[in-house]
Amino acid sequence: MGYYIVRIHASTWDLLRDLQRLHDLDVFSKTAKQLDDCLFEIHGLLSDEQIENLSKKGYQIEIIANAAEVAKGRKKGVPCLSLSPGDQSGQE
């Protein structure tokens, strides 16, 4: 089973909050933001199964990176993954 750093999009703030509260997922709360009136985003670390389950529930998932590859890079001293320009959330 693979794990991935992802962007999760939801249509409401409540759906975004439910990711941790109801689904007990590993999401990075500092990355939560509203993109427009009907689009909210948060980054997280999800397994293949979690991605599939959330997709079925209507969440939009964008895979940013394979977590195993990021970990290998960190061991080799490669600079931390930046999730978006100017965003240092990948350093948690």
Side-chain angles (χ1 to χ4, degrees):
M1 177 187 311
Y3 282 87
Y4 303 91
I5 307 292
V6 298
R7 281 189 189 98
I8 306 166
H9 292 128
S11 58
T12 68
W13 191 254
D14 287 336
L15 286 173
L16 208 64
R17 279 198 324 247
D18 286 349
L19 292 170
Q20 191 168 26
R21 190 168 40 105
L22 297 178
H23 303 292
D24 195 30
L25 299 177
D26 188 3
V27 292
F28 312 143
S29 58
K30 291 181 182 181
T31 66
K33 61 185 167 185
Q34 183 173 1
L35 300 176
D36 64 34
D37 289 341
C38 298
L39 188 60
F40 300 82
E41 175 184 279
I42 194 166
H43 297 157
L45 177 67
L46 301 180
S47 68
D48 294 314
E49 183 180 340
Q50 291 169 325
I51 291 169
E52 184 177 331
N53 289 337
L54 286 180
S55 295
K56 288 178 184 176
K57 293 179 182 192
Y59 290 92
Q60 297 173 353
I61 312 296
E62 176 188 351
I63 295 175
I64 299 171
N66 182 310
E69 294 300 317
V70 172
K72 285 180 192 175
R74 286 185 177 180
K75 280 186 176 181
K76 293 179 182 178
V78 175
C80 295
L81 168 71
S82 179
L83 299 175
S84 62
D87 182 349
Q88 297 303 309
S89 302
Q91 295 182 9
E92 289 187 33

